[in-house]
Structures are given as C-alpha cells and as structure tokens.
Amino acid sequence: MRSIKTLLVAAFSFVAISAVAQDFSQPQWARYGDTPEERKANALTYNFYRDAYNNRNWSEVTKFFPELVAKCPKASVNLYIYAATAYKNRIAGETDQAKRDELIDSLLYVYDKRIENYGDDPKYGIYVSYPLKAREYITYKPTDREGVRKICNEVIEACGENIDPDFVVLYFSELTDDYKNLKIEDELLYSEYQRLEDLVANDAEATSSIESLFASSGAANCENLEKLFRPKIEAAPNDVDLLSRAFNLMSRASDCETNDFYLYVVEQYHAVQPSVTTAEYLAKVFQDRKENDKAIKYINEAMAVTEDPIEKAKLYVRIAGIEISIGNYSEAASAARSAREADPENGWAYFFLAQAYAATTGGCNGIDRNAVYWVAYDTMSQARSLVEQSDDAEAKALIPSIDKMLGSYRAAFPSVEDGFFNDLTAGSSYTVKCGLASGITTTVRFK
C-alpha cells in the first residue's frame, strides 16, 4: 500500500512540476480560467481529477467535480463523462436510500452542466446529452412516472427533428407501460402516438416499433382506431403510407374483423397497393356476406400477384368451395382441377372435385348414372388420404364429412344384378359417359 501511495505522490509531483513549466498565458489554456494563475491551479486540479478517474477512485472524482465545474466548466467534455461514470458507480454501491437519491440528483446535474457548456458540440451536445440524461432518469427514477414523461417530452421538444428515433421508441414504450398500468388516459396515448409516429416517419424501423407497441397496448381497439384514422384517410384516400399504417393496426385489433371502416380501409389499400393478404381478406369478407362475385373477383386478384403454386392451389380451392356452395358445379370442377394441377397434394381440391362429379348425374340413366359415383368415390378417397397425411388441422376436420360422403357414394354403386344385366364384371374398366366425370375411366364395383 505504501509503495502505491509513493508512486501516486511521485506522479502528482511530476504533474505539478510540468504545470509549473507551462506558459498559462497562451490561448490554449483559456478554458481553464481567466488569469494565468487560475488556469495553472485549475489545470493541476483537473490532472488530479483525471488521475482519480483512471484509478477508479470514484469518491475522489465526485469531490473534485463541483470545484472544477464551477471554475473551468469548459476544460474538457471528459469532465462530465468522468463524473457521470463516477456517480453511477457510487449509486450502484450505495445502500442508504437518502444518500442514493442525493447521488442520483448529482448525476442528473452533471448532464445539466454538460448541456449548458457543451450544448452546441456536434458530438457531445444537446442531441446526445439530453437523451442520455433522460435515460438515466428512467433508470434511476423509474417510479416517478410523471417525471419520466416530463423529461422525455423536454428532450423531444429540445431536439426536434434531430431526435434519435430510438429514444422516441423508448419514450413511447414508457407511455404504453403507463397506459397498461392505468397511469394515463386513452387520449394522451392516442395523441402521442400520432405525434411520435409523424416524428419518426422517415425511419421505418422506429415506425414499425411504435406501431407494434401501440397495437399491443390494449388501446388500439377498432372504435378508437377509426377515430384516429377516418379523418386522415378521408382527407387523403390514396395515401399509401397512411393506408398501410391503418391497415397494419386495424388488422391486429380483434374487433375489426366485421368493421365497415376497416373494410373500406382494406379496399382502398388494396386498390393502390394490391397484395395477396388484402385480396384474401376481402374475398373472405365478401364470401361471408354471400357476395360471391366480389369474393371470386378478389381471389382472382390475389392469384394474379402470386407465383407460388401452393398458394395458387389454395386460392383455386376457395373458388371451388364458393362455386360448390351456390351450385355452380362446372365452375367448381374447373377450379378444383386447377388447384390439383398446381398442387397435387392438396386434399381440398379432390374434396370439391368429388362433390362436383356427384352433383352432376342429371341426364345420366341406368348404369351410366351409377358409374359417376365410382369416379366420385375414387376422388373422395384420394381426398381422404391426402387430408389424413397433411398438417392442416382444418382439412383434418373434414374427415367425418368425407366418410359420410364416401358412404353415400358407395350406396349409389350398382348391384351385382345390375352388373349382370349390363354385362359388367367387378374389376373391369368402365368409361363414364355423362356428367362432369364424362370421359374418365374407372373400375367397376358393386354394392
């Protein structure tokens, strides 16, 4: 210990001797004081201050800081950087709450003086220092919610368009926490959402983060989102960015599914920027409303903007399902075949195609009518096999219905007696002569 002290004394003595040799009347020393004598004394104190920092003597650093900031506040930006580090280390080791609070206030004061004396510095000035102070406030005074909101607002006002987008996201995160904890009302969150999103409009990542926070806050219900976006969209119905923001938020709100304004937003957004997502949503809405022509129109639009054969098959299947539901069996069969061609493993394609076959026995007589059910049964059996192997839970739910249909098709097979009178033997080939299955060769079977 004695040897360390001896080395420190020797070092300080060397610094003192060096200081004596300097000409403190030169301009480069002006930052240390008004007179050569003041500059000499303050430069020496600053050297002791820096040495205390390098030796991690945090108490000594914080002892020197008030003197230096009073006498030579523009000596170096390190005056403030060292002090902030020292105070944070002292805070970390302090167990007495009253003393800890004093140290926290002193830390915040360091940033106040840094802003006061280096506010215009391009690297260390207000645009950097003020957000740092706010972050320290959030870290060390997290329960002072009003104070957190106040200082964050002060930072944003002070920095203006130079504000760091990450800080804006941090502030909105604090706001959403306050909202969830019933510390602020809806109106404040809405107004700040609009203001802050406009502030970071040129930063896609920050914009996305703020939208995600707002969507998860619990405040973004459909009624409130309509109030937020309706006047803006009515004023600029073709603004892609605005429509995108409205769509992204409203699509996450659980109560927007049947909202008329949301439907309007999606239609407007799809009109200016078509996508599979919007087209599929519109198709579903209009299908649920039994507006089948519109539903099919949007499915076809989705088809036009996707190259993925798996996705195309799913879209064709939706058309087949709509057409089956309204009795357009020829169109249903055509869509189902297209789905099968795009994705031979799609069980839905066979499911709807089998139904189209079975529904078109009109005009078929005798054994020709029975033969249609052989093809329908084969096709539905293939549907069952594919559905069973798939990971599609919705498709697997079809199995009871498929089994029921298979039973009804099998019941429509001809009897052995019918086969005898038509000169048919089990296992032989037969080509269907009527209905949508016409031309398909199948196998003769009896009940």
Side-chain angles (χ1 to χ4, degrees):
M1 179 63 73
R2 180 174 298 172
S3 61
I4 293 174
K5 287 182 178 178
T6 302
L7 288 171
L8 287 173
V9 169
F12 291 156
S13 299
F14 175 77
V15 169
I17 292 167
S18 299
V20 170
Q22 299 294 334
D23 180 1
F24 288 99
S25 64
Q26 295 298 313
Q28 67 265 32
W29 295 102
R31 56 201 169 103
Y32 285 100
D34 295 329
T35 67
E37 291 76 15
E38 288 176 357
R39 295 172 186 178
K40 177 181 175 181
N42 292 335
L44 185 60
T45 303
Y46 184 82
N47 281 329
F48 291 151
Y49 175 74
R50 184 179 56 205
D51 288 339
Y53 174 82
N54 289 335
N55 287 298
R56 303 175 66 83
N57 189 338
W58 309 126
S59 293
E60 197 73 6
V61 172
T62 57
K63 184 181 80 173
F64 281 123
F65 176 73
E67 177 186 351
L68 288 169
V69 82
K71 293 180 177 180
C72 53
K74 294 189 178 181
S76 169
V77 73
N78 284 336
L79 174 63
Y80 305 98
I81 294 172
Y82 295 167
T85 301
Y87 278 117
K88 284 192 281 188
N89 276 280
R90 288 194 62 189
I91 291 166
E94 184 57 69
T95 56
D96 183 283
Q97 188 59 50
K99 291 180 181 178
R100 195 171 187 274
D101 289 342
E102 287 180 10
L103 291 169
I104 290 169
D105 289 339
S106 295
L107 171 63
L108 297 175
Y109 173 75
V110 170
Y111 286 101
D112 288 338
K113 299 306 289 184
R114 173 172 161 174
I115 292 167
E116 179 184 326
N117 291 286
Y118 282 88
D120 295 331
D121 188 284
K123 188 174 180 181
Y124 301 105
I126 190 170
Y127 304 137
V128 175
S129 300
Y130 216 160
L132 278 176
K133 178 186 176 183
R135 288 176 185 274
E136 304 287 25
Y137 198 104
I138 293 168
T139 299
Y140 294 109
K141 294 194 172 188
T143 59
D144 180 12
R145 302 314 302 166
E146 186 175 344
V148 166
R149 294 192 296 274
K150 181 175 182 291
I151 194 170
C152 286
N153 260 308
E154 289 173 353
V155 170
I156 290 170
E157 291 298 326
C159 294
E161 62 182 18
N162 295 301
I163 189 69
D164 177 7
D166 287 343
F167 181 81
V168 177
V169 173
L170 171 65
Y171 170 47
F172 195 69
S173 176
E174 295 295 317
L175 278 178
T176 54
D177 285 346
D178 283 348
Y179 178 79
K180 291 174 184 176
N181 292 317
L182 306 178
K183 300 293 185 182
I184 61 172
E185 299 297 326
D186 292 13
E187 289 306 317
L188 177 59
L189 191 67
Y190 302 150
S191 61
E192 287 295 79
Y193 166 74
Q194 294 182 78
R195 179 172 76 105
L196 299 179
E197 193 168 55
D198 288 342
L199 196 60
V200 297
N202 295 325
D203 190 302
E205 186 175 347
T207 299
S208 176
S209 296
I210 288 175
E211 284 184 354
S212 296
L213 286 165
F214 187 52
S216 63
S217 69
N221 61 55
C222 217
E223 180 183 352
N224 291 333
L225 290 172
E226 183 172 347
K227 289 177 185 176
L228 191 66
F229 285 107
R230 182 181 281 281
K232 293 182 178 182
I233 291 175
E234 287 178 348
N238 298 315
D239 185 327
V240 177
D241 291 336
L242 178 61
L243 289 165
S244 174
R245 285 161 53 195
F247 171 72
N248 288 334
L249 282 170
M250 297 188 82
S251 63
R252 298 180 194 182
S254 59
D255 59 339
C256 277
E257 189 71 18
T258 58
N259 180 276
D260 286 338
F261 177 69
Y262 178 49
L263 177 59
Y264 167 75
V265 168
V266 182
E267 285 191 287
Q268 287 297 112
Y269 186 40
H270 183 77
V272 296
Q273 191 164 302
S275 71
V276 173
T277 301
T278 51
E280 287 189 333
Y281 167 78
L282 291 168
K284 181 180 184 303
V285 168
F286 288 115
Q287 185 177 350
D288 291 344
R289 295 184 177 194
K290 308 300 182 186
E291 296 180 49
N292 296 307
D293 289 344
K294 277 190 174 182
I296 291 172
K297 167 184 176 291
Y298 283 115
I299 293 172
N300 282 322
E301 287 186 13
M303 204 105 63
V305 292
T306 183
E307 298 298 325
D308 185 348
I310 304 298
E311 292 303 314
K312 278 188 179 291
K314 291 176 182 177
L315 294 168
Y316 277 123
V317 159
R318 290 187 64 179
I319 293 176
I322 292 171
E323 300 290 13
I324 282 287
S325 71
I326 57 178
N328 291 338
Y329 300 115
S330 178
E331 291 83 352
S334 176
R337 288 182 181 125
S338 295
R340 183 178 61 181
E341 184 178 343
D343 178 15
E345 303 302 311
N346 189 308
W348 290 91
Y350 298 88
F351 176 71
F352 289 124
L353 186 55
Q355 292 177 69
Y357 289 153
T360 54
T361 57
C364 297
N365 298 308
I367 201 70
D368 288 329
R369 181 181 179 86
N370 300 121
V372 170
Y373 290 103
W374 289 331
V375 176
Y377 184 89
D378 294 340
T379 308
M380 191 61 79
S381 294
Q382 200 158 1
R384 194 188 196 290
S385 176
L386 290 170
V387 163
E388 216 168 17
Q389 296 169 36
S390 79
D391 296 325
D392 184 346
E394 189 179 357
K396 285 184 181 295
L398 291 174
I399 290 177
S401 296
I402 289 175
D403 289 342
K404 187 175 180 180
M405 290 180 188
L406 285 171
S408 66
Y409 298 161
R410 194 163 44 243
F413 286 179
S415 64
V416 174
E417 185 179 1
D418 291 331
F420 175 78
F421 285 113
N422 286 277
D423 198 23
L424 296 173
T425 56
S428 61
S429 296
Y430 189 90
T431 301
V432 179
K433 300 180 177 62
C434 58
L436 289 173
S438 180
I440 296 175
T441 299
T442 183
T443 302
V444 174
R445 277 150 290 176
F446 302 121
K447 292 180 183 179

